[in-house]
Amino acid sequence: MKRKEIANSQDEQLPKIDKIKKKKVTTEKEDRKKRRGNDIIVVPWSSTAEWDYTCKLFVEEDFKNMMERLLIWANRGHHGLPVGVEGTLFLLQALSFDSQTDSEQVGKDVQARSLYSLALLRFINHVSHLAASVIGGSTLPIFKLASQVDIPSWLVDLRHEISHGVNIPSLEILRLSATFIKNWLKENYWIPTGSSAENSNNILSGSVLQTETQRSENCEVANSDIEVNATFSTLSEITSAYIASRVYHLRHCFEIRDTKILKFWPKKKRITTKEALKYLKHELSNSLSHQAPLTCAVLAEEMIPRPDFYAEFRQLFSENTEIVFQGLWKPILKMVQRKGNLIELIDKLMEIHMGEDLSEKRQEMSGIWLKVILSMTGFAQRIIH
């Protein structure tokens, strides 16, 4: 049988591209309307009394009840947590693990340092973005942005060391950083409404008594990553087409006739697998260069396939299915790493891992990908050494 005929005969066995996960996209206008209504900002707490009570829990360091309440907030709607609340949740999870785990437990040190490191990365990134929104200095280095909100240089240095350094900081220094973050949040974020007037200049204040101007600024920052030229839907289709083309490549199919892929070449009835992969990867690379936050959000979503797609994929590759599936993404992950956007991708996967969709499969897959990426970057090895 000729090579072309082999390719055609195998087309019917391949998972259809429309089986790969898609995410419904709303326009910026619709998103703002849902979030703001008639100039109303939707928050996860039901009243000022609940906010004040939660502030009290944090100030009194009743972290067990505090964490339970924040997890409830995380499941109260699809708007997501305010950045300060989300950063606090990351911190509390690290503190909880560190305090409740036996110091002699194998791997405890590694896991604790991973949690503290992710909490620190999240905190510095959010604080810097919010500082940039206030002073209008989005092009300023993180060091200068952080200094505007009284974040010391050593904490920023720790962030850089975690992201780019050879050695991850020790557990002792990470605990010190957690203590600073905890105290900073007490003074600048978890402020009861009765105390908010004297702290009205705190750019991270989560108080419901913030002025409408401050609220609008924070909302703009929260939505800044979706204010891009290409839509989530288009990037999702490009990513899906690339992964489907990778499946064709693994099946040794040298031509593609799938209309879901050929939509990017409307005048062609077929295209070589090599040509498709080259073009689609170039499109993703270009998107990553110009709109990294949105692209990483798309990649994170697409890395977690729908159950029906994965079931078909398992039938095609019955041996080492998980390893083969991860291999589909290897070129993309290397590209993200080369462009320096792995931290953003980890961020998006963490949002999925801890998000409102607590389905076991999504948590499992996002957790697996986090381990793969950390291993790929040498993060785990650097912690051990």
Side-chain angles (χ1 to χ4, degrees), residues 303 329-337 342 345 369 376:
M303 287 166 77
W329 289 88
K330 189 175 181 180
I332 295 297
L333 293 179
K334 284 189 174 181
M335 179 180 69
V336 175
Q337 182 182 28
L342 277 180
L345 182 57
W369 276 122
M376 183 184 75

Side-chain angles (χ1 to χ4, degrees), residues 88-106:
T88 302
L89 181 56
F90 272 81
L91 175 66
L92 295 185
Q93 288 175 327
L95 290 170
S96 176
F97 177 85
D98 193 16
S99 64
Q100 296 179 15
T101 309
D102 185 353
S103 61
E104 301 299 323
Q105 179 179 324
V106 177

Side-chain angles (χ1 to χ4, degrees), residues 120-128 142 151 155-156 159:
L120 175 59
L121 289 172
R122 196 75 165 176
F123 174 76
I124 294 295
N125 287 345
H126 282 325
V127 169
S128 298
I142 291 179
I151 303 299
L155 206 64
V156 180
R159 185 261 184 196

Side-chain angles (χ1 to χ4, degrees), residues 8 11 17 237-238 240-242 244-245 248 254-273 275-276 279-280:
N8 294 340
D11 280 359
I17 188 173
E237 289 177 353
I238 292 173
S240 295
Y242 177 83
S245 299
Y248 276 90
F254 301 97
E255 278 193 350
I256 297 175
R257 299 185 180 186
D258 189 330
T259 56
K260 296 290 185 178
I261 299 177
L262 289 175
K263 68 178 292 183
F264 298 100
W265 298 272
K267 296 183 179 181
K268 292 188 176 184
K269 294 184 178 180
R270 66 181 68 179
I271 191 172
T272 66
T273 305
E275 184 181 357
Y279 172 80
L280 294 169

